[in-house]
């Protein structure tokens, strides 16, 4: 960390540029992201409600899906409302305090890492259910589910502690303009007057560890699932199972691909506008797609939604 110089103006708040190049159509972007955000919250709340009310869904798979739905609501709520306020010029919509910025970065990283571990736990659950069905009750007991979920949240919480501590040791001076729509590590480091080599190295290693460990578990689990599905005699059942796996792997690949691009890479030339587009995919698009892919396409969930909301409408009438 460089010593403080009296010629510097220390930064106490930041201004987030957001999508500065779309000012002429900012209201259209505001509407688009608002609809995506409300849809994400609504579909995840529906899953939490229906799993909680329908005893037929009190099973490990839906236990993990409920955790994922809770996480997705918080994950998008950390960044999207602030971004939306910046689009329509609400007072203070583009500014954020130093403490608020680091808090946003901590929570966003915590939830993002937790999602990686939860997706790995869900992949393991599906592997055992499909590849080891006779041992499923023993291998995926309620105790195991609780421990896996607790470990996911705990590891996710521990992930940003060292990176955020190192961020607090940096000095920010002169410019306080963040060329992004939320407080992410890279645009913040670009504003620092300090030597950020250690911080960048730690960020890279921690991101690599989180993404590599969880993605390997997912890849091995789904690899075994696909191998098992190849031996299903019924072509119709095999195609149905493959279509489900393909949908899961598509959304997981989108999530992990964008995260690897943003956080596990060498210093390469990349425009900030392109980085913002990539960030939209893992921070807004995949949280919207996850409930559709993992839950709302499921016949059991569809049936439970019908029973739950039909009953509520009947009671209301």
């Amino acid at each position: 960390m460089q010593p403080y110089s009296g010629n510097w103006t220390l930064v106490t708040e930041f201004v987030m540029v957001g999508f500065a190049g779309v000012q002429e159509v900012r209201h259209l972007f505001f509407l688009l992201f608002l609809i995506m955000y409300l849809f994400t919250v609504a579909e995840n709340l529906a899953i939490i409600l229906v799993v909680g009310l329908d005893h037929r869904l009190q099973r490990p798979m839906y236990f993990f899906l409920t955790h994922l739905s809770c996480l997705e609501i918080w994950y998008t709520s950390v960044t999207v409302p602030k971004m939306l306020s910046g689009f329509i010029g609400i007072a203070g919509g583009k500014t954020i305090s130093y403490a608020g910025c680091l808090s946003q970065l901590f929570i966003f990283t915590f939830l993002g890492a937790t999602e990686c571990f939860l997706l790995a736990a869900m992949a393991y659950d599906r592997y055992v259910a499909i590849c080891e069905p006779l041992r499923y009750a023993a291998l995926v007991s309620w105790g195991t589910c609780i421990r896996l979920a607790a470990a996911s949240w705990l590891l996710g919480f521990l992930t940003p502690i060292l990176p955020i501590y190192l961020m607090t040791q940096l000095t920010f001076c002169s410019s306080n303009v963040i060329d992004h729509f939320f407080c992410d590590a890279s645009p913040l480091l670009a504003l620092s007057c300090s030597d950020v080599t250690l911080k960048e190295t730690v960020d890279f290693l921690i991101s690599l560890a989180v993404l590599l460990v969880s993605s390997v578990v997912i890849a091995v689990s789904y690899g075994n699932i696909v191998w098992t599905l190849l031996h299903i005699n019924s072509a119709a059942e095999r195609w149905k199972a493959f279509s489900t796996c393909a949908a899961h792997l598509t959304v997981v690949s989108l999530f992990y691909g964008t995260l690897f691009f943003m956080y596990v890479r060498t210093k390469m030339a990349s425009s900030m506008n392109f980085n913002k587009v990539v960030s939209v995919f893992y921070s807004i698009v995949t949280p919207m797609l996850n409930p559709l892919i993992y839950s709302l396409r499921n016949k059991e969930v569809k049936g439970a939604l019908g029973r739950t909301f039909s009953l509520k409408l009947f009671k209301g009438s």
Side-chain angles (χ1 to χ4, degrees):
M1 176 173 156
Q2 293 180 354
Y4 170 70
S5 169
N7 295 326
W8 293 349
T9 301
L10 292 180
V11 172
T12 58
E13 70 174 16
F14 296 99
V15 178
M16 291 184 284
V17 172
F19 296 90
V22 298
Q23 288 304 305
E24 294 182 357
V25 290
R26 66 184 184 278
H27 292 102
L28 179 61
F29 272 77
F30 169 82
L31 184 61
L32 173 64
F33 287 125
L34 176 62
I35 291 172
M36 293 173 69
Y37 174 64
L38 293 177
F39 187 65
T40 300
V41 172
E43 60 185 353
N44 281 294
L45 283 175
I47 291 168
I48 294 168
L49 178 65
V50 75
V51 172
L53 293 178
D54 197 310
H55 69 278
R56 303 176 206 186
L57 300 184
Q58 303 300 314
R59 303 208 303 273
M61 180 176 74
Y62 299 107
F63 170 80
F64 288 121
L65 287 173
T66 301
H67 278 264
L68 184 64
S69 291
C70 290
L71 186 148
E72 298 291 25
I73 292 172
W74 298 337
Y75 186 60
T76 54
S77 297
V78 171
T79 58
V80 177
K82 186 70 174 176
M83 178 186 69
L84 292 175
S85 65
F87 272 124
I88 57 177
I90 292 177
K94 287 182 174 288
T95 62
I96 187 169
S97 67
Y98 174 81
C101 187
L102 293 189
S103 297
Q104 186 187 58
L105 177 58
F106 181 93
I107 297 171
F108 186 78
T109 307
F110 155 45
L111 295 174
T114 301
E115 179 161 351
C116 291
F117 295 123
L118 266 178
L119 289 174
M122 290 167 62
Y124 169 74
D125 170 70
R126 290 299 83 205
Y127 157 72
V128 178
I130 295 173
C131 303
E132 304 282 349
L134 299 179
R135 302 175 60 200
Y136 184 77
L139 292 176
V140 190
S141 64
W142 279 111
T144 301
C145 292
I146 292 170
R147 285 191 290 271
L148 285 173
S152 298
W153 286 100
L154 178 60
L155 290 172
F157 180 79
L158 295 175
T159 296
I161 290 179
L162 180 57
I164 294 298
Y165 169 74
L166 293 177
M167 187 72 82
T168 63
Q169 303 306 299
L170 302 179
T171 300
F172 296 91
C173 53
S174 299
S175 177
N176 67 336
V177 178
I178 299 176
D179 192 7
H180 214 307
F181 61 89
F182 70 96
C183 289
D184 204 4
S186 295
L188 272 175
L189 292 181
L191 301 180
S192 177
C193 308
S194 308
D195 181 2
V196 298
T197 304
L198 175 61
K199 175 72 172 70
E200 288 181 329
T201 302
V202 169
D203 284 354
F204 172 81
L205 292 176
I206 290 178
S207 299
L208 180 64
V210 170
L211 293 174
L212 203 57
V213 168
S214 57
S215 62
V216 165
V217 172
I218 292 170
V220 171
S221 297
Y222 275 98
N224 281 283
I225 289 171
V226 170
W227 178 254
T228 301
L229 296 180
L230 289 173
H231 295 82
I232 295 178
N233 293 325
S234 169
E237 287 296 319
R238 185 166 60 246
W239 172 251
K240 178 182 176 182
F242 268 123
S243 66
T244 300
C245 283
H248 289 185
L249 288 174
T250 298
V251 72
V252 166
S253 298
L254 178 63
F255 181 66
Y256 274 88
T258 52
L259 285 179
F260 267 107
F261 175 82
M262 288 298 297
Y263 299 109
V264 184
R265 59 178 179 176
T266 56
K267 291 183 179 179
M268 52 186 281
S270 179
S271 72
M272 187 55 68
N273 286 332
F274 184 69
N275 288 347
K276 292 175 192 176
V277 173
V278 173
S279 298
V280 165
F281 278 95
Y282 66 78
S283 63
I284 301 175
V285 175
T286 54
M288 181 184 67
L289 293 178
N290 277 337
L292 292 172
I293 298 300
Y294 283 102
S295 303
L296 300 179
R297 294 172 71 248
N298 185 302
K299 286 186 178 180
E300 289 183 313
V301 174
K302 288 179 181 178
L305 282 169
R307 290 190 298 271
T308 299
F309 288 102
S310 294
L311 179 61
K312 286 190 172 295
L313 287 173
F314 177 75
K315 286 182 176 180
S317 61

